[in-house]
Amino acid sequence: MDLESSKLRRRLREAGLSDQVIDAAWPSWWSDDLAADPSGQAELRFALARKLGVSPRGLIGERVEFIWNDEARFKHLSTEDAAQRAALTSFGVTIGRSLIRGTPSPTPLDGFDAHLIRNAVLANQNYVDLGGLLALCWGVGIPVIHLRVFPLDTKSMHAMVVRVEDRYAILLGRDAGYPAPVAFTLAHELGHLVLGHLRDTPALVDLKDPATAPDRDDQEVEADEFALSLLTGRPDPEIATGNGSFNAPSLANAVTKAAPRYRIEPGTLALCVAHRTGAWSRAMAALKFIYGEPKQVWREVNDIAAEQIDWEQVGSESGDYLQNVMGTRA
Ligand SMILES: [Zn+2]
């Protein structure tokens, strides 16, 4: 790599950005010939600045400055410092803007609550599951993707909602081998959006798993209740587990039998039992008996996204970056 490019990379690294996000944003048109040309160097700086949400001036000067500096709302804030928060926000807002640009026909969810959304999904299928939630979100103009590239070296983000005026995008972070935990996260983020938690902020970041994080504020409790109402029909579902001495196979068996009666997807029902009893490891083990072998849930989410996005509207520069971030680039 030429001297100017490596200086640029070092500056971005010093600002806290991970190698993987710098690689994802690095333009595919970059070549050694361009490195020798000052206008090529300038074009590289502008392209990286646009994609990573940093000020292009900072890429020449001493200090890289993020455009969205500490304006997002962070949940379970403990370890991240201000620079990391700015890096995460700028990354998310830039991605969210591209996604919203490429997602036509918004249908506002004004006046909708968890029960109305649940009924809308149940009109087409037996359960409110991940597939049903994804179809609903895309149907009303809320893009949802699963991140495969993270802006910080520590993978410290569970999920994020980005707002651009009256439009929203949802970025899922933590990977899962089964759909139910991802469905819960998506329902929780949808809750933040519908409940107006982004009214005065461009982004809301759930750093930890909202289902198990100990330090929950009022908005977290509200978003959880919304998620449970949407997925199960009640904010605090009562699930009888008999004498409490269940194991993973017997739990899987019980929830699979009970699912049609309650119209609650079996994996979600198992997680509800964990929520109530604290038996998270047994519930997670039960998922294997419910679904069989684990699969790449992120791929299902992003295959749908890749089909739904109007790539022409996104544009080729942002489109390349988005495909890198989604892990869908051939
Ligand atoms: Zn949350």
Side-chain angles (χ1 to χ4, degrees), residues 23-25 51 95 98-99 145-149 298-299 302-303 305-307 309-312 314-330:
D23 287 340
K51 291 185 214 178
I95 295 283
S98 299
L99 284 169
I145 63 163
H146 210 301
L147 299 172
R148 301 299 296 159
V149 164
W298 69 266
R299 195 173 278 286
N302 286 349
D303 282 349
E307 239 168 68
I309 292 168
D310 181 343
W311 291 100
E312 212 164 295
V314 174
S316 67
E317 178 184 276
S318 302
D320 281 356
Y321 176 47
L322 204 50
Q323 297 251 31
N324 286 339
V325 165
M326 289 164 61
T328 48
R329 210 167 144 158

Coordinates of all heavy atoms in Angstrom, one line a residue, residues 23-25 51 95 98-99 145-149 298-299 302-303 305-307 309-312 314-330:
D23 N -11.9 -1.8 5.6 CA -11.9 -2.6 4.3 C -13.2 -2.5 3.6 O -13.2 -2.4 2.4 CB -11.6 -4.1 4.7 CG -10.1 -4.2 5.1 OD1 -9.3 -3.4 4.8 OD2 -9.8 -5.2 5.8
A24 N -14.3 -2.6 4.3 CA -15.6 -2.6 3.7 C -15.9 -1.3 3.0 O -16.5 -1.3 1.9 CB -16.7 -2.9 4.7
A25 N -15.4 -0.2 3.5 CA -15.6 1.1 3.0 C -14.6 1.5 1.9 O -14.9 2.4 1.1 CB -15.6 2.2 4.1
K51 N -18.8 7.3 3.4 CA -19.3 6.0 3.9 C -19.2 5.9 5.4 O -20.1 5.2 6.0 CB -18.5 4.9 3.2 CG -18.8 4.8 1.7 CD -18.1 3.7 1.1 CE -17.7 3.9 -0.3 NZ -16.9 2.8 -0.9
I95 N -25.2 4.0 7.2 CA -25.8 2.8 6.7 C -27.4 3.0 6.6 O -28.0 2.6 5.6 CB -25.5 1.6 7.6 CG1 -24.0 1.3 7.6 CG2 -26.3 0.4 7.2 CD1 -23.5 0.6 6.3
S98 N -28.5 5.1 3.6 CA -28.5 4.4 2.4 C -29.7 3.5 2.2 O -30.3 3.4 1.2 CB -27.2 3.6 2.2 OG -26.1 4.4 2.3
L99 N -29.9 2.7 3.3 CA -31.0 1.8 3.3 C -32.4 2.4 3.1 O -33.2 2.0 2.3 CB -31.1 1.0 4.6 CG -30.0 -0.1 4.8 CD1 -30.1 -0.6 6.3 CD2 -30.3 -1.3 3.9
I145 N -31.6 -5.0 8.2 CA -30.4 -5.8 7.8 C -29.7 -6.4 9.0 O -29.9 -5.9 10.1 CB -29.4 -5.1 6.9 CG1 -28.8 -3.9 7.7 CG2 -30.0 -4.6 5.6 CD1 -27.5 -3.4 7.0
H146 N -28.9 -7.4 8.7 CA -28.1 -8.0 9.8 C -26.6 -7.6 9.5 O -26.1 -7.9 8.4 CB -28.2 -9.5 9.8 CG -28.0 -10.1 11.1 ND1 -26.8 -10.0 11.8 CD2 -28.8 -10.8 11.9 CE1 -27.0 -10.6 13.0 NE2 -28.2 -11.1 13.1
L147 N -26.0 -6.9 10.4 CA -24.6 -6.4 10.1 C -23.6 -7.6 10.2 O -23.7 -8.4 11.1 CB -24.2 -5.4 11.2 CG -25.0 -4.1 11.3 CD1 -24.6 -3.3 12.5 CD2 -24.9 -3.3 10.0
R148 N -22.8 -7.6 9.2 CA -21.7 -8.6 9.2 C -20.3 -7.9 9.4 O -19.3 -8.6 9.5 CB -21.7 -9.4 7.8 CG -22.9 -10.1 7.6 CD -23.2 -11.2 8.6 NE -22.2 -12.2 8.6 CZ -22.0 -13.0 9.6 NH1 -22.6 -12.9 10.8 NH2 -21.1 -13.9 9.5
V149 N -20.4 -6.6 9.4 CA -19.2 -5.8 9.7 C -19.5 -4.9 10.8 O -20.6 -4.3 10.8 CB -18.8 -5.0 8.4 CG1 -17.8 -3.9 8.7 CG2 -18.2 -6.0 7.3
W298 N -28.5 -14.7 9.9 CA -28.2 -13.4 9.3 C -28.4 -13.5 7.8 O -28.8 -12.6 7.1 CB -26.8 -13.0 9.6 CG -25.7 -13.9 9.0 CD1 -25.1 -14.9 9.6 CD2 -25.1 -13.7 7.7 NE1 -24.1 -15.5 8.8 CE2 -24.1 -14.7 7.6 CE3 -25.3 -12.8 6.7 CZ2 -23.3 -14.9 6.5 CZ3 -24.5 -13.0 5.5 CH2 -23.6 -14.0 5.4
R299 N -28.1 -14.7 7.2 CA -28.1 -14.8 5.8 C -29.6 -14.7 5.3 O -29.9 -14.1 4.3 CB -27.5 -16.2 5.3 CG -27.2 -16.2 3.9 CD -26.5 -17.5 3.5 NE -25.0 -17.4 3.7 CZ -24.2 -16.7 3.0 NH1 -24.6 -16.0 1.9 NH2 -22.9 -16.6 3.2
N302 N -30.5 -11.1 5.4 CA -29.9 -10.3 4.4 C -30.3 -10.7 2.9 O -30.2 -9.9 2.0 CB -28.4 -10.3 4.6 CG -28.0 -9.4 5.8 OD1 -28.8 -8.7 6.3 ND2 -26.8 -9.5 6.2
D303 N -30.7 -12.0 2.8 CA -31.1 -12.4 1.4 C -32.5 -11.6 1.1 O -32.7 -11.2 0.0 CB -31.3 -13.9 1.4 CG -30.0 -14.6 1.2 OD1 -29.0 -13.9 0.9 OD2 -30.0 -15.8 1.3
A305 N -33.3 -8.8 2.5 CA -33.0 -7.4 2.3 C -32.4 -7.1 0.9 O -32.8 -6.2 0.2 CB -32.0 -6.9 3.3
A306 N -31.5 -8.0 0.4 CA -30.9 -7.8 -0.9 C -32.0 -7.8 -2.0 O -31.9 -7.1 -3.0 CB -29.9 -8.9 -1.1
E307 N -33.0 -8.6 -1.8 CA -34.1 -8.6 -2.8 C -35.0 -7.4 -2.7 O -35.5 -6.9 -3.7 CB -35.0 -9.8 -2.4 CG -35.2 -10.8 -3.6 CD -35.8 -12.1 -3.0 OE1 -37.0 -12.0 -2.7 OE2 -35.1 -13.1 -2.9
I309 N -34.2 -4.3 -1.5 CA -33.6 -2.9 -1.7 C -33.6 -2.6 -3.2 O -33.3 -3.4 -4.0 CB -32.1 -3.0 -1.1 CG1 -32.1 -3.1 0.4 CG2 -31.3 -1.7 -1.6 CD1 -30.8 -3.4 1.0
D310 N -33.9 -1.3 -3.4 CA -33.8 -0.8 -4.8 C -32.4 -0.2 -5.0 O -32.1 0.9 -4.6 CB -34.9 0.4 -4.9 CG -34.9 1.0 -6.3 OD1 -33.9 0.7 -7.1 OD2 -35.8 1.6 -6.7
W311 N -31.5 -1.1 -5.5 CA -30.1 -0.8 -5.5 C -29.8 0.4 -6.4 O -28.8 1.1 -6.2 CB -29.3 -2.0 -6.0 CG -29.4 -3.1 -5.0 CD1 -30.2 -4.2 -5.0 CD2 -28.6 -3.2 -3.7 NE1 -30.0 -5.0 -3.8 CE2 -29.0 -4.4 -3.1 CE3 -27.7 -2.4 -3.1 CZ2 -28.5 -4.7 -1.8 CZ3 -27.1 -2.7 -1.9 CH2 -27.6 -3.9 -1.3
E312 N -30.6 0.7 -7.4 CA -30.4 1.8 -8.2 C -30.5 3.1 -7.4 O -29.7 4.1 -7.6 CB -31.4 1.8 -9.4 CG -30.8 2.5 -10.6 CD -31.7 2.1 -11.8 OE1 -31.8 0.9 -12.1 OE2 -32.4 3.0 -12.4
V314 N -30.0 3.4 -4.2 CA -28.9 3.4 -3.2 C -27.7 4.0 -3.9 O -26.9 4.8 -3.3 CB -28.6 2.0 -2.7 CG1 -27.4 2.0 -1.8 CG2 -29.8 1.5 -1.9
G315 N -27.5 3.7 -5.2 CA -26.3 4.2 -5.9 C -25.1 3.2 -5.8 O -25.1 2.4 -4.8
S316 N -24.2 3.2 -6.7 CA -23.2 2.2 -6.7 C -22.2 2.3 -5.6 O -21.8 1.3 -5.0 CB -22.5 2.1 -8.1 OG -21.7 3.3 -8.3
E317 N -21.8 3.5 -5.3 CA -20.8 3.6 -4.2 C -21.3 3.1 -2.8 O -20.7 2.2 -2.2 CB -20.4 5.1 -4.0 CG -19.4 5.3 -2.9 CD -19.0 6.8 -2.7 OE1 -18.1 7.3 -3.4 OE2 -19.6 7.4 -1.8
S318 N -22.5 3.6 -2.4 CA -23.1 3.2 -1.2 C -23.5 1.7 -1.3 O -23.5 1.0 -0.3 CB -24.3 4.0 -0.8 OG -24.0 5.4 -0.7
G319 N -23.9 1.3 -2.5 CA -24.4 -0.1 -2.7 C -23.3 -1.1 -2.5 O -23.5 -2.1 -1.8
D320 N -22.1 -0.8 -3.0 CA -20.9 -1.7 -2.8 C -20.6 -1.8 -1.3 O -20.4 -2.9 -0.8 CB -19.7 -1.1 -3.4 CG -19.6 -1.3 -4.9 OD1 -20.6 -2.0 -5.4 OD2 -18.7 -0.8 -5.6
Y321 N -20.6 -0.7 -0.6 CA -20.3 -0.6 0.8 C -21.4 -1.4 1.6 O -21.1 -2.3 2.4 CB -20.3 0.8 1.3 CG -20.1 1.0 2.8 CD1 -19.1 0.3 3.5 CD2 -20.8 2.0 3.4 CE1 -18.9 0.6 4.8 CE2 -20.6 2.2 4.8 CZ -19.7 1.5 5.5 OH -19.5 1.7 6.8
L322 N -22.7 -1.2 1.3 CA -23.8 -1.9 1.9 C -23.7 -3.4 1.7 O -23.9 -4.2 2.7 CB -25.1 -1.3 1.3 CG -26.4 -1.4 2.2 CD1 -26.1 -0.9 3.6 CD2 -27.5 -0.7 1.5
Q323 N -23.4 -3.8 0.5 CA -23.2 -5.3 0.3 C -22.1 -5.8 1.1 O -22.2 -7.0 1.6 CB -23.0 -5.5 -1.2 CG -24.1 -5.1 -2.1 CD -24.9 -6.2 -2.7 OE1 -25.0 -7.3 -2.1 NE2 -25.4 -6.0 -3.9
N324 N -21.0 -5.1 1.2 CA -19.9 -5.6 2.1 C -20.3 -5.7 3.5 O -20.0 -6.7 4.2 CB -18.7 -4.6 2.0 CG -17.9 -4.6 0.7 OD1 -18.0 -5.6 0.0 ND2 -17.2 -3.6 0.3
V325 N -21.0 -4.7 4.0 CA -21.5 -4.7 5.4 C -22.5 -5.8 5.6 O -22.6 -6.4 6.7 CB -22.1 -3.3 5.7 CG1 -22.9 -3.4 7.0 CG2 -21.0 -2.3 5.8
M326 N -23.3 -6.2 4.6 CA -24.3 -7.2 4.7 C -23.7 -8.6 4.4 O -24.4 -9.6 4.6 CB -25.4 -7.0 3.7 CG -26.3 -5.8 4.1 SD -27.4 -5.2 2.8 CE -28.4 -6.7 2.4
G327 N -22.5 -8.7 3.9 CA -21.9 -10.0 3.6 C -22.6 -10.6 2.4 O -22.6 -11.8 2.3
T328 N -23.2 -9.8 1.5 CA -24.0 -10.4 0.4 C -23.3 -10.2 -0.9 O -23.8 -10.5 -2.0 CB -25.4 -9.8 0.3 OG1 -25.3 -8.4 0.4 CG2 -26.3 -10.4 1.4
R329 N -22.1 -9.6 -0.9 CA -21.4 -9.3 -2.1 C -20.8 -10.6 -2.7 O -20.1 -11.3 -1.9 CB -20.3 -8.3 -1.9 CG -20.1 -7.5 -3.1 CD -19.3 -6.3 -2.7 NE -18.5 -6.1 -3.9 CZ -17.9 -4.9 -4.2 NH1 -18.1 -3.9 -3.4 NH2 -17.2 -4.8 -5.2
A330 N -21.0 -10.9 -3.9 CA -20.5 -12.1 -4.5 C -19.0 -12.1 -4.6 O -18.4 -11.1 -4.7 CB -21.1 -12.3 -5.9

